[in-house]
Amino acid sequence: MKGIIFAELIGFMEEVGGLDFAEQVLASSELPNDGAFTRIGTYPAAYALKMVGVASEVSGIPADQLCRQYGEWLFARFVILYPKIVGQYPTAEVMLEHVGSHIHEEVVVLYPDAKPPKVTATRDDEDLIIHYSSHRPMAHIAYGLVKGCMVHYGDTRQVEWVGDNDPASASFRIAAPETLAA
């Protein structure tokens, strides 16, 4: 995974838990690089999973919930870090429909060694379904990113995780609240 994801994860921990919390998570994670990440470096996804696991233990917040919160927070950071990319899309739906076909292609141009997840969008009547699959089990972060995208664009439709709670392959239904399953 690209170092920017790790650097932002540390920033997320500092913002939501404070500097002491972030330092405790990094120290307790016992990573070979002691938590030193460059934004352009590439690191094993296992490092992020270890950090989230430790953050969950220290905070008492379930790891999947932390990942979802991080995803929402990360989208807001992407708006700041990549305003030209986000600004190309007039709505959340248009952006989400182009993650796999355009945005991840730009990521690979910027970072040729990047291996972004596969993200596609399909329609089911009026609903938009986002499909995520990756060799990294980060679907909960993807779910948070989708929710963060919806918030950024002021889209009031709801996001629902569809099917199994598989962290490597998931689908998310975006629909009006009255059409989602209870």
Side-chain angles (χ1 to χ4, degrees):
M1 278 176 40
K2 296 311 296 175
I4 188 166
I5 300 302
F6 291 91
E8 293 300 325
L9 179 57
I10 293 168
F12 168 73
M13 289 187 294
E14 288 175 356
E15 187 169 307
V16 300
L19 186 58
D20 289 341
F21 171 74
E23 288 177 357
Q24 180 182 5
V25 168
L26 287 172
S28 298
S29 294
E30 299 178 346
L31 300 173
N33 67 347
D34 294 322
F37 300 101
T38 65
R39 290 183 163 295
I40 60 171
T42 301
Y43 306 93
Y47 290 10
L49 296 173
K50 177 69 174 176
M51 290 166 56
V52 169
V54 170
S56 176
E57 289 173 17
V58 171
S59 69
I61 300 170
D64 60 346
Q65 185 178 338
L66 282 174
C67 286
R68 289 177 183 200
Q69 290 172 354
Y70 171 57
E72 287 187 61
W73 183 89
L74 184 60
F75 189 87
R77 290 290 299 151
F78 285 167
V79 171
I80 294 165
L81 296 169
Y82 307 108
K84 289 183 180 177
I85 293 173
V86 175
Q88 292 177 33
Y89 302 99
T91 66
E93 190 162 309
V94 172
M95 177 175 230
L96 292 168
E97 288 174 334
H98 289 90
V99 169
S101 64
H102 181 244
I103 296 170
H104 282 167
E105 287 177 4
E106 287 193 30
V107 168
V108 173
V109 169
L110 290 171
Y111 308 105
D113 61 336
K115 294 178 179 84
K118 182 178 179 187
V119 178
T120 58
T122 58
R123 289 231 162 259
D124 181 15
D125 295 322
E126 296 296 314
D127 300 343
L128 182 67
I129 312 294
I130 304 299
H131 307 279
Y132 166 93
S133 64
S134 177
H135 62 284
R136 295 179 295 261
M138 306 283 177
H140 292 283
I141 295 172
Y143 180 86
L145 283 164
V146 170
K147 288 189 79 169
C149 179
M150 302 296 285
V151 168
H152 171 73
Y153 285 98
D155 192 319
T156 60
R157 291 178 294 168
Q158 301 297 305
V159 181
E160 175 187 52
W161 189 298
V162 181
D164 295 336
N165 197 22
D166 182 350
S169 179
S171 295
F172 318 119
R173 178 181 302 277
I174 299 170
E178 61 273 5
T179 63
L180 293 176

